[in-house]
Structure formats: structure tokens, C-alpha cells
Amino acid sequence: MSTAIAAPVDRLLYKPEEAAEALAIGRSTVYELMAEGTLKYIKLGRTRRIRRADLEAYVANLNPLPH
């Protein structure tokens, strides 16, 4: 008997904790980035969500350090 493994969901909105995992940074860092306006987010009622496009834009705007 084989078990099927479900493919990961391609999310459009991320909870701050999920965004932290996707970015490989700490949850508190995500909240700090949101508070300073570096990482855009939307409010849905009392919750905050980060759009996938905003995560991608944040990463695209990171500047690598020179060697």
C-alpha cells in the first residue's frame, strides 16, 4: 500500500510565523521589519498577513555584502 504525499500549498498570504520560516529568519525579526515598514503587510480584521509578492520584493531588495 502506498501513501500519497500532498504537495505543499502555494500560498498567496502568509502569517508572520510562516513568513519567518519562508525567509529563514526569526519571527520577532519579521514583526520588526513589519513595524519599521520594510516588509509590507495587510490587515484582515485583527490579523496580519504578508503577501507572497511582498516577501519576494523584500528579498529582491536585499543587498549582498561585497566580498
Side-chain angles (χ1 to χ4, degrees):
M1 179 186 283
S2 66
T3 57
I5 299 174
V9 177
D10 192 18
R11 296 183 184 270
L12 296 174
L13 295 174
Y14 291 81
K15 295 177 186 176
E17 294 79 9
E18 295 167 338
E21 184 177 339
L23 295 171
I25 60 177
R27 181 182 62 89
S28 60
T29 303
V30 169
Y31 281 105
E32 289 171 10
L33 292 170
M34 291 166 56
E36 65 190 26
T38 304
L39 182 58
K40 295 180 184 177
Y41 65 94
I42 60 171
K43 288 194 77 167
L44 295 171
R46 293 175 37 184
T47 64
R48 291 180 260 183
R49 296 292 184 262
I50 303 162
R51 297 180 304 171
R52 179 177 56 209
D54 291 327
L55 285 175
E56 292 170 349
Y58 169 72
V59 172
N61 288 325
L62 293 175
N63 293 319
L65 295 175
H67 293 346

